[in-house]
Amino acid sequence: METILNRILGVTAAALAAFILAVTGVSFAVKAAKPGKNLRTADPEPGAVVNMTSPDNEKLAAFTGLGRIRAVTKPDSKKKDDTGTPVVITPWFSYAEGDTEFYEELSRKSTAMKALISQYFAQYTEKELRSMSEEKIKTDLLEELNARFSLGKINAIYFSDYIFLE
């Protein structure tokens, strides 16, 4: 009795595995599968900034004081009942190491920076943001943020998280 059950279980497992392989093969054959479609190249973690230098060989530090920001994209007018797509961003910045005055300015203006980043994502639909390069988004944000500082400038902006929630 036990050997019959083992055979039935083995045949069932083999049939299930064959079915999964067949569906996967068909998906690739009709080009319906798009592996890695929404993957992005990860930015360095803030701890890696100790090895970074600016173009003028200045040591850099990381500002991670904004934490995780949750924003909602602009609703897509082409989609019925679209309310926008939630997006989660965890930005961090590199700036000149040892610039304590600028660090304090960054800390003071962190709420305004969060609002600016949320507003940036709210002015575009998910489709528009996905079609823009991540570098373009970072460049736009860097320009908008640096325009609001008086004691220094951010060298670069990085995203630890950049996720659209569907």
Side-chain angles (χ1 to χ4, degrees), residues 14-161:
L16 183 60
F19 176 75
I20 290 171
L21 286 173
V23 169
T24 303
V26 169
S27 294
F28 278 108
V30 298
K31 300 201 189 296
K34 293 179 176 52
K37 174 184 152 211
N38 292 323
L39 294 179
R40 64 182 274 270
T41 304
D43 284 341
E45 290 299 317
V49 79
V50 295
N51 299 324
M52 294 180 173
T53 57
S54 66
D56 56 355
N57 258 355
E58 185 177 45
K59 284 284 200 187
L60 298 175
F63 179 79
T64 58
L66 296 185
R68 185 170 288 140
I69 300 171
R70 291 164 184 86
V72 178
T73 64
K74 182 171 98 177
D76 191 344
S77 60
K78 296 175 185 167
K79 293 181 181 176
K80 186 178 179 183
D81 299 329
D82 187 22
T83 58
T85 303
V87 61
V88 178
I89 315 105
T90 307
W92 64 276
F93 315 116
S94 62
Y95 67 98
E97 186 178 58
D99 192 347
T100 55
E101 293 84 13
F102 184 54
Y103 175 82
E104 290 170 4
E105 182 179 22
L106 288 170
S107 297
R108 267 193 329 273
K109 294 183 176 180
S110 63
T111 303
M113 289 189 293
K114 286 180 184 182
L116 188 143
I117 292 169
S118 292
Q119 289 168 359
Y120 180 87
F121 283 93
Q123 67 185 350
Y124 297 104
T125 65
E126 177 186 0
K127 185 177 180 181
E128 291 170 336
L129 287 167
R130 287 188 185 270
S131 68
M132 298 163 93
S133 72
E134 191 174 323
E135 290 307 313
K136 164 96 171 92
I137 293 169
K138 289 177 183 177
T139 301
D140 290 348
L141 285 172
L142 189 66
E143 288 174 8
E144 288 187 36
L145 289 167
N146 276 335
R148 287 164 172 72
F149 299 126
S150 57
L151 299 177
K153 298 290 180 207
I154 296 170
N155 289 51
I157 184 170
Y158 302 95
F159 296 142
S160 295
D161 294 319

